[in-house]
Amino acid sequence: MQDLPSTEPTVNVKFVTKTSSVPPPEGTMAIPLSTTRDNLRDVLRSLTESDATFDFIIANEIIRPGVSLTKILQRKKISEEALVEIEYIESDLAPLEQICECPHRDAVTGVSFCPQFGFVTASFDGSLHLWSEQGALAFSTQAHPMPITDVVATTGGPTRTVVTASKDHTLALWQLSRGTKAFTKQATLMGHTDSVQCCALSPDQQRLASGGWDNAVMLWALQGPTVEAPSPASKAEAEEDTAESGVGRVRPRDAEVDEAGVKRRREGQGKMLHPLVQLRHHRGAVTGLHWEGASAGAGLRGEAPVVPGETLWSASWDHTLLRWDLQAQIHTAELTAPCSALCMAATTTSAPGSATAPAPGNAALLLTGHVDGAARLWDPRTQDGAVSRPFREHTGMVTGVAWSPRSPYHFSTVGTEGLVCLWDIRARKPMQQHRFPLVPPTLSPAVEGVPEVGETTITGMPTNSQKCVALVPNKVHCCCFEERSAPSKKAHAGLIGCGCDNGSLFLFSF
Amino acid sequence: MEQGSGLRTQLQKVIDPNFRRTVVDEETGEETVLSDQELDMLFRIQEGKYYSSNVGEEMDLTDLYPYDSRFPVINLPEPKSRFIPSKWEAKKVIELVRKIRRGDYDHKIPEKPDVYNLWTDDTDPAEWEARSKRLPPPPIKLPDHAESYNPPPEYLLTPEEQKEWEAANPYDRKYPFLPQMYAAMRQVPGYKDFIKERFQRDLDLYLFPASSRRSFTSTLRICPSCPTRRICCLPQVMTLEFFGHGAAITALSVDPTGQYIASGSRDRTVRVWDIPTGRCLRLLRLEADAEAVAWNPVHPIIAIAAGKKLLLYTPGLTEEATEACIALVVAPLAPGAMTMTLQSGYTWHRADTLPTRDGVVMDIAHPKPITQLCWHPKGDYFAAVSSDTSSSTVIIHQLSRRRSQLPFTKKRLVMCVLFHPTKPLFFVASRTAVQVFDLMKQQLVKKLRPSAKWITSMALHPTGSHLIVGSADSRLAWFDLEAKDTPYKILRYPGLALRQVCFHQTQPLFASGADNGTLHVFHGRVYTDMETDPLLVPVKVLRPPPSSMVPVEQPEEEVEEEVDEDGEKKAARRKVITPDVRSCVFHPRQPWIFSGSADGVIRLFV
């Protein structure tokens, strides 16, 4: 241990640990108040004779580099006379490293990891892509005529189901089999009356929840007896509808072609599914959904659409988060946020005995990304609100949040100012962050291809002499988190996928 | 005679003939019989006369000024007022009579206390307190050692110092006197400057302010009361930018559901953006600058002003809605309605192929370039304003019957127009005044004068009972339409020209966009009861953060000056110029505001 100057004020500390394999040094020791994280690391390394890198937690907050103990004790209102317990953990977050970049024709608005297949991305031009883990395009198809807003994929099993939500008011069900590595459309989910903004799979991956701009949350069954083709009656109705509209509109010359086109379009959609349950209470677009699993023994019984005890959380633009009792189809809890939420994620694992971690059972911490650039953490067990202060680092809207599947502490956020952050809930600032370089503004190819009317020479600069923007931030629209058992010893090595505005999907490893 | 029992006194009364003129000296007990002369003297004193009967009885007192009661001292004729009834009394009586008739006459005569404390302060306690709060007079300087009759030797002046003292100006002297030493107090002569000093002191007191000035102890007193809890829902920070336009943005319009926004620009394009992602969904290229863009409140149709053409554009965001719109706009009319079309000279050209690929379903040719478009809240009528001074400045089109009409026959210069949300009222803003017309009765209802010189825009409160008018000469006028024709309040922005003003549809907010790139957001609460005045509180000034602005090279002259001062360092310095706000619009559901700037960027403040 280093020789400490005797004149400096010191504080008595004791090292403890809950997770690290390195045993804590016995007894207490006096450490100068000006000690920072790096000093503590040196001290602990010399005491335990291990070469690991440690991070330190005082009163549930990770010490940031360059902050002295004085400041932390002042902020936490801990007396310098008291014995301070410092918990240490092995710091296993490597710096974010970009491993590959997958180019798309248009902005990437949805990404979902599909273990053993690679990952599935959805684009603003309505196309759906499958990429291998190395970043090679395996399959691509035009899934929707309008932008896709969200994509989820099931995990496990030889065939996977991929669900896409789109602004054309529908969701589509795609099957991905291991042999062909291609998407085959299974069904169209029709029921929303406006753009669908988000979707989420239930824990048993049998059902789907979706929310959209019609302020409704809808529940769908993906498999089993409730999947149905459109009944003959409804089909006839649809045809009648088409015919009626055809008469009413009196199409010139191409009416027949158009009618045939409509028919073909409807046939091409394959089976049509209708929602099992519609939940309406939100007064704004539903943008985030999360299922809370039922207790262990429960399961789907017969044709019941929901498992008893199962609940669903929904986040909306009306500043609220609602918990729905799916059996009663009513909302049972309401949390109010200061502004609209754009996305939602939740912990999937529980922490080993931490105060802020979710309790065993079905309770999890919810995380929402908001339009004001903050990510907020919610404890569903409380009646009113956020657990901690909001996580603020983004200056744009937080468009995507993703929680680490394995660690209850780590999550990532992305924002429209082109920033991706990796957070630990015990830290006030992001542990890692990466800012995408500025890009020239891009236009969707579909939009660009519109034929120009008449003369197209744009006279360039208008009368005012102010310059127009040449380079703009690369907005990030979505993010996805995957843990990876990396060859190194690190427990939390993983992948973060970020879909960007200029059509690139960036994969980061850490 | 000894004072004995009552019996003895009674006996004495009978026996002694001098009993009635006998008095007893209380000190000695001696009895004295008073003589006649002495008795007479006593009686005279009791009567209040002079004791001696031989003095002054016959003294004759004569009046110096003989007074005859029949004539007054002042020999003037009686004034006329003595003979005529008093005007003021009559007034008083009338007042009392009116009070009695009204029934609020107080019959009780205010009682005066019979006894009052003569020595109490009759001043008002508050006044007394104020008086006692007077500032203390400036203190007199206490005597110094030098003023002593026997000062310590170091205070005495040396001969050189004395000479200096005498030569110096009296105001510059260290002491106003010469310190002198005397052996004894009795040798001290009289002080020759005593009267002069007293006079100076009195002057000081006389010129000293007798009380402190009133000052504002807190700024709260001048601020209007602010409903803080409700006010928290307002745009605060810029979090999203929409990039793509190559030139200044002229108009913004948000889809009624709040999912899309349409923008028109001087780069001859109209773009439709997806608000949650900030990405362009549709791009429409035009032959001229897009001067105005307005989203139909009911149907997914956007009216676009491109030069002399008015285009109806269906962005094709949903197939069903688009088909319905095309049916509405393009389907042939009933024969009766067709005749109406012929009345006006405006031809509605159907796009040739349907549905057209670029989504334009109809264009209407106008004689002059269009500057502003405005939909009626029911989505059937819309008005177009042209830039010239003629009778065809304002044209009202009807979507369902596909006809156009000129509401005004007189020539007039119009800056902007508005439809009332519920009543058949039409607001027309000229350069200095706003005229309100009733469309059913076809007459002028009201003329509002915002005391502005160049009106740029106006906006109606969602209830339709309040109007704000923004002008280029830096003022915003709030009108209560059910009250006077003059503004309820005028908000001034020194040195800023207002480009656009707007109201929020659901929140009590209104905003104005100014030429220096700032948005001013106000809390404007309107009460349903007719008595309470609207509450207007300025709550926020929004400007884009420096990171979102384009750095602009400083003009050369300025750079040179900088170089002179600080060498080469500042030559490379760049200045950030905030682009003008050309258009601002609130989100229909969220407390957000969009600003369209001169640099072609739409900024969203949440």
Side-chain angles (χ1 to χ4, degrees):
Chain A
M1 200 175 148
Q2 307 152 327
D3 287 341
L4 302 170
S6 58
T7 54
E8 221 173 330
T10 57
V11 62
N12 288 328
V13 300
K14 187 186 179 188
F15 286 104
V16 292
T17 187
K18 287 168 187 163
T19 53
S20 177
S21 55
V22 181
E26 285 182 7
T28 64
M29 65 195 70
I31 279 182
L33 278 171
S34 59
T35 311
T36 59
R37 186 193 70 174
D38 295 342
N39 302 124
L40 278 175
R41 278 183 180 170
D42 293 340
V43 170
L44 196 62
R45 265 187 210 153
S46 60
L47 283 175
T48 56
E49 296 172 357
S50 77
D51 58 346
T53 318
F54 296 104
D55 265 323
F56 301 92
I57 303 169
I58 294 179
N60 270 327
E61 191 179 314
I62 290 185
I63 304 177
R64 276 190 290 148
V67 180
S68 68
L69 279 182
T70 324
K71 266 195 175 177
I72 297 162
L73 295 185
Q74 269 176 8
R75 197 193 299 136
K76 293 283 175 188
K77 290 173 184 162
I78 300 172
S79 164
E80 294 170 7
E81 310 282 327
L83 176 67
V84 179
E85 276 200 356
I86 299 183
E87 187 187 340
Y88 64 90
I89 50 173
E90 284 181 48
S91 135
D92 41 21
L93 289 178
L96 287 177
E97 189 187 341
Q98 186 181 326
I99 52 170
C100 72
E101 178 185 343
C102 311
H104 291 64
R105 284 175 67 229
D106 204 344
V108 183
T109 50
V111 57
S112 176
F113 279 107
C114 199
Q116 295 143 24
F117 283 85
F119 45 94
V120 181
T121 62
S123 180
F124 199 75
D125 59 359
S127 57
L128 186 64
H129 310 266
L130 177 69
W131 301 82
S132 73
E133 293 199 9
Q134 286 72 38
L137 183 62
F139 187 76
S140 170
T141 179
Q142 185 69 26
H144 291 273
M146 287 287 283
I148 299 178
T149 50
D150 202 1
V151 59
V152 290
T154 57
T155 52
T159 58
R160 304 288 167 82
T161 306
V162 176
V163 183
T164 53
S166 167
K167 280 193 177 288
D168 64 359
H169 307 188
T170 63
L171 296 104
L173 214 62
W174 306 83
Q175 201 167 37
L176 186 60
S177 57
R178 187 170 290 176
T180 56
K181 286 216 169 179
F183 296 108
T184 45
K185 189 166 186 176
Q186 285 202 308
T188 307
L189 281 58
M190 299 185 82
H192 278 288
T193 54
D194 207 332
S195 304
V196 190
Q197 193 66 26
C198 60
C199 54
L201 281 167
S202 67
D204 59 3
Q205 305 197 343
Q206 302 282 310
R207 285 145 307 135
L208 179 85
S210 67
W213 278 85
D214 52 357
N215 307 349
V217 177
M218 295 194 182
L219 252 56
W220 318 77
L222 297 186
Q223 290 166 359
T226 45
V227 174
E228 58 184 24
S231 60
S234 70
K235 204 178 233 172
E237 213 175 82
E239 272 173 17
E240 211 175 274
D241 186 21
T242 331
E244 254 178 63
S245 56
V247 169
R249 281 165 218 159
V250 187
R251 307 268 172 91
R253 67 190 174 264
D254 58 349
E256 288 166 24
V257 180
D258 200 63
E259 225 167 274
V262 168
K263 228 179 229 176
R264 195 170 55 241
R265 202 181 67 231
R266 300 220 167 166
E267 278 164 7
Q269 281 167 347
K271 284 194 291 187
M272 289 209 292
L273 288 185
H274 295 284
L276 300 171
V277 174
Q278 295 192 15
L279 307 169
R280 288 178 192 274
H281 188 260
H282 277 300
R283 281 152 292 137
V286 181
T287 50
L289 291 165
H290 167 69
W291 291 79
E292 257 181 10
S295 52
L300 280 176
R301 288 184 196 130
E303 293 197 10
V306 291
V307 177
E310 206 166 36
T311 55
L312 181 75
W313 278 95
S314 63
S316 164
W317 274 38
D318 64 0
H319 304 199
T320 59
L321 276 74
L322 291 185
R323 184 174 64 199
W324 298 92
D325 183 340
L326 294 184
Q327 210 163 19
Q329 300 182 16
I330 51 167
H331 67 281
T332 54
E334 182 172 337
L335 302 175
T336 308
C339 62
S340 304
L342 284 173
C343 47
M344 181 156 76
T347 49
T348 45
T349 53
S350 54
S354 170
T356 54
N362 54 6
L365 287 178
L366 297 174
L367 184 75
T368 48
H370 290 264
V371 289
D372 63 346
R376 291 185 171 84
L377 198 62
W378 308 85
D379 190 342
R381 292 166 297 179
T382 59
Q383 285 299 310
D384 57 339
V387 178
S388 64
R389 41 191 290 161
F391 298 96
R392 287 188 187 276
E393 183 67 19
H394 292 283
T395 55
M397 291 180 173
V398 178
T399 46
V401 290
W403 208 292
S404 163
R406 228 175 271 172
S407 161
Y409 297 121
H410 296 105
F411 65 87
S412 64
T413 59
V414 292
T416 52
E417 82 282 29
L419 186 70
V420 49
C421 292
L422 180 62
W423 299 79
D424 190 306
I425 59 170
R426 296 163 295 187
R428 291 157 66 91
K429 288 280 166 188
M431 306 297 281
Q432 310 284 347
Q433 62 180 16
H434 176 84
R435 192 177 286 275
F436 292 106
L438 298 181
V439 292
T442 57
L443 205 57
S444 300
V447 174
E448 194 84 85
V450 170
E452 293 159 2
V453 179
E455 251 182 66
T456 55
T457 47
I458 293 169
T459 45
M461 282 312 191
T463 48
N464 65 327
S465 62
Q466 284 173 346
K467 269 190 190 175
C468 291
V469 178
L471 289 177
V472 300
N474 198 359
K475 293 171 192 159
V476 193
H477 291 303
C478 56
C479 72
C480 180
F481 209 118
E482 197 205 16
E483 292 292 326
R484 245 186 202 186
S485 50
S488 68
K489 286 180 206 165
K490 308 226 179 239
H492 293 305
L495 279 181
I496 298 177
C498 302
C500 288
D501 203 45
N502 68 342
S504 295
L505 176 86
F506 292 99
L507 282 184
F508 292 97
S509 72
F510 61 90
Chain B
M1 193 192 276
E2 210 179 22
Q3 286 286 328
S5 61
L7 179 63
R8 190 171 167 184
T9 313
Q10 283 297 327
L11 283 175
Q12 203 70 26
K13 209 186 254 183
V14 178
I15 298 166
D16 191 357
N18 289 333
F19 177 77
R20 286 187 183 275
R21 53 171 67 187
T22 309
V23 288
V24 182
D25 190 347
E26 282 182 2
E27 284 181 358
T28 57
E30 193 185 346
E31 294 184 355
T32 312
V33 178
L34 299 175
S35 63
D36 284 347
Q37 201 178 353
E38 285 167 337
L39 267 181
D40 182 48
M41 200 190 297
L42 279 175
F43 287 143
R44 286 181 72 90
I45 289 171
Q46 277 181 343
E47 283 173 15
K49 294 178 178 174
Y50 195 71
Y51 70 92
S52 171
S53 61
N54 49 15
V55 175
E57 276 287 311
E58 292 84 27
M59 194 186 283
D60 189 21
L61 295 174
T62 52
D63 281 335
L64 281 178
Y65 304 102
Y67 175 71
D68 186 347
S69 63
R70 284 176 301 172
F71 299 105
V73 178
I74 302 164
N75 199 11
L76 284 174
E78 287 275 330
K80 186 184 171 187
S81 62
R82 303 259 169 97
F83 305 100
I84 57 171
S86 164
K87 175 184 166 191
W88 305 106
E89 267 180 24
K91 280 197 167 183
K92 186 76 189 167
V93 168
I94 284 171
E95 192 185 326
L96 289 174
V97 166
R98 279 181 184 156
K99 270 192 175 178
I100 292 166
R101 279 182 189 160
R102 279 204 306 269
D104 58 354
Y105 177 66
D106 191 3
H107 292 272
K108 283 181 201 165
I109 298 163
E111 285 180 15
K112 275 185 183 172
D114 289 341
V115 185
Y116 63 96
N117 187 356
L118 178 65
W119 304 109
T120 187
D121 282 321
D122 52 357
T123 49
D124 187 22
E127 192 193 338
W128 192 247
E129 200 181 333
R131 272 194 210 171
S132 64
K133 269 186 185 170
R134 270 196 280 186
L135 285 185
I140 303 177
K141 203 185 157 201
L142 291 176
D144 202 0
H145 287 296
E147 280 176 70
S148 168
Y149 76 98
N150 189 11
E154 63 265 26
Y155 286 93
L156 293 172
L157 300 184
T158 57
E160 294 83 45
E161 282 177 336
Q162 206 164 335
K163 268 183 195 168
E164 200 183 319
W165 185 90
E166 278 163 0
N169 192 318
Y171 295 106
D172 298 337
R173 288 170 185 166
K174 190 182 177 188
Y175 300 119
F177 54 90
L178 266 177
Q180 279 177 327
M181 187 160 69
Y182 299 98
M185 189 74 169
R186 64 175 183 278
Q187 292 174 357
V188 178
Y191 183 44
K192 65 177 166 58
D193 287 342
F194 178 75
I195 298 294
K196 201 171 149 192
E197 267 189 8
R198 280 288 117 191
F199 181 67
Q200 288 294 335
R201 172 72 184 163
D202 287 346
L203 273 188
D204 282 352
L205 293 177
Y206 162 65
L207 293 172
F208 182 74
S211 64
S212 61
R213 296 236 174 115
R214 277 188 66 177
S215 59
F216 286 113
T217 47
S218 71
T219 50
L220 288 177
R221 206 185 293 170
I222 51 172
C223 288
S225 62
C226 190
T228 46
R229 230 189 98 250
R230 301 247 173 113
I231 243 173
C232 62
C233 248
L234 67 132
Q236 307 259 7
V237 289
M238 191 208 78
T239 53
L240 192 60
E241 291 160 297
F242 300 72
F243 297 107
H245 275 300
I249 285 165
T250 50
L252 292 175
S253 179
V254 186
D255 153 47
T257 62
Q259 199 178 352
Y260 308 106
I261 182 168
S263 65
S265 166
R266 290 261 158 84
D267 66 357
R268 300 188 172 187
T269 60
V270 167
R271 290 173 196 239
V272 180
W273 310 80
D274 180 33
I275 291 175
T277 54
R279 204 161 164 80
C280 181
L281 264 173
R282 294 284 182 268
L283 171 71
L284 178 68
R285 292 185 202 278
L286 307 168
E287 294 165 29
D289 293 350
E291 283 295 334
V293 167
W295 206 298
N296 186 306
V298 181
H299 309 290
I301 298 176
I302 305 173
I304 296 165
K308 293 182 184 178
K309 272 188 180 175
L310 197 161
L311 307 177
L312 293 181
Y313 173 58
T314 53
L317 299 169
T318 63
E319 233 163 278
E320 291 80 5
T322 310
E323 282 170 15
C325 286
I326 290 171
L328 177 74
V329 178
V330 179
L333 295 163
M338 284 295 279
T339 55
M340 302 294 287
T341 320
L342 303 174
Q343 284 185 357
S344 64
Y346 297 94
T347 43
W348 290 55
H349 290 290
R350 229 161 56 172
D352 288 341
T353 54
L354 290 174
T356 53
R357 207 176 151 199
D358 57 353
V360 177
V361 287
M362 188 67 85
D363 69 49
I364 309 162
H366 283 62
K368 292 280 160 53
I370 310 164
T371 53
Q372 197 229 346
L373 287 171
C374 161
W375 283 94
H376 186 269
K378 284 182 182 166
D380 193 20
Y381 289 93
F382 59 107
V385 180
S386 298
S387 55
D388 64 332
T389 314
S390 71
S391 58
S392 63
T393 310
V394 182
I395 305 154
I396 296 182
H397 303 283
Q398 190 179 5
L399 189 66
S400 59
R401 301 170 91 172
R402 250 166 279 161
R403 63 168 189 175
S404 311
Q405 52 185 334
L406 304 176
F408 304 117
T409 49
K410 264 185 8 184
K411 285 184 179 180
R412 59 176 73 225
L413 180 69
V414 175
M415 308 308 288
C416 50
V417 295
L418 267 183
F419 285 101
H420 192 281
T422 49
K423 294 175 193 165
L425 295 179
F426 191 55
F427 296 80
V428 180
S430 69
R431 214 179 274 181
T432 55
V434 178
Q435 287 171 312
V436 188
F437 293 94
D438 190 324
L439 290 174
M440 299 287 280
K441 295 177 190 163
Q442 300 190 346
Q443 64 185 23
L444 179 67
V445 179
K446 228 174 199 189
K447 193 165 184 184
L448 308 171
R449 297 189 177 280
S451 74
K453 291 189 184 108
W454 194 284
I455 293 174
T456 50
S457 72
M458 56 181 176
L460 259 178
H461 191 268
T463 59
S465 56
H466 298 265
L467 179 81
I468 51 174
V469 177
S471 67
D473 55 345
S474 56
R475 57 183 70 194
L476 187 153
W478 175 295
F479 287 97
D480 188 343
L481 294 176
E482 279 150 13
K484 296 176 289 183
D485 295 348
T486 47
Y488 160 64
K489 197 160 263 186
I490 292 183
L491 307 166
R492 287 178 170 74
Y493 304 72
L496 293 183
L498 296 191
R499 290 286 182 157
Q500 196 168 14
V501 291
C502 55
F503 262 112
H504 198 284
Q505 290 301 307
T506 51
Q507 305 274 345
L509 289 174
F510 66 98
S512 65
D515 246 0
N516 67 343
T518 54
L519 289 168
H520 297 255
V521 183
F522 298 85
H523 177 90
R525 181 165 286 277
V526 171
Y527 297 92
T528 45
D529 58 336
M530 304 297 279
E531 290 179 3
T532 321
D533 285 333
L535 172 70
L536 315 183
V537 187
V539 285
K540 190 91 184 165
V541 179
L542 298 171
R543 43 173 77 82
S547 61
S548 90
M549 286 178 255
V550 188
V552 177
E553 297 283 356
Q554 277 194 332
E556 282 182 11
E557 316 90 62
E558 286 182 33
V559 175
E560 278 174 15
E561 283 174 18
E562 300 279 351
V563 173
D564 292 341
E565 288 170 10
D566 279 347
E568 292 178 359
K569 274 189 184 176
K570 284 191 177 174
R573 200 178 74 165
R574 286 169 156 223
K575 197 180 163 194
V576 168
I577 291 180
T578 320
D580 301 356
V581 171
R582 292 294 167 91
S583 178
C584 62
V585 62
F586 275 108
H587 192 277
R589 295 186 182 180
Q590 303 285 336
W592 302 349
I593 188 165
F594 296 90
S595 80
S597 306
D599 61 351
V601 181
I602 307 167
R603 296 185 170 88
L604 170 59
F605 294 86
V606 302

